[in-house]
Amino acid sequence: MPAGIDADIAARILLAAWEGLQFQWHHGPEFDIRAHMEWRIRAVLGPNALTAASASTAEGGA
């Protein structure tokens, strides 16, 4: 978790974004839900949020 980011607030924002995107995806025209969620994750956690997680996972990290 990047310094200065409240984990509880970030989790609530990302969960709300996920639920909202799911609703739109089910009820509206199709769109790339993954791209939208990745954008939101980077907006909340920083531009390298997914890069760091991917590298850690690939190296056998948690």
Side-chain angles (χ1 to χ4, degrees), residues 8-49:
D8 290 333
I9 292 172
R12 288 179 190 272
I13 289 170
L14 293 174
L15 180 59
W18 175 244
E19 290 180 349
L21 287 170
Q22 283 185 64
F23 181 84
Q24 291 178 25
W25 186 76
H26 286 292
H27 299 286
E30 287 190 28
F31 64 94
D32 187 351
I33 194 170
R34 178 180 177 169
H36 282 72
M37 195 62 207
E38 287 177 355
W39 185 92
R40 176 53 56 199
I41 291 169
R42 288 185 181 103
V44 172
L45 299 178
N48 297 321

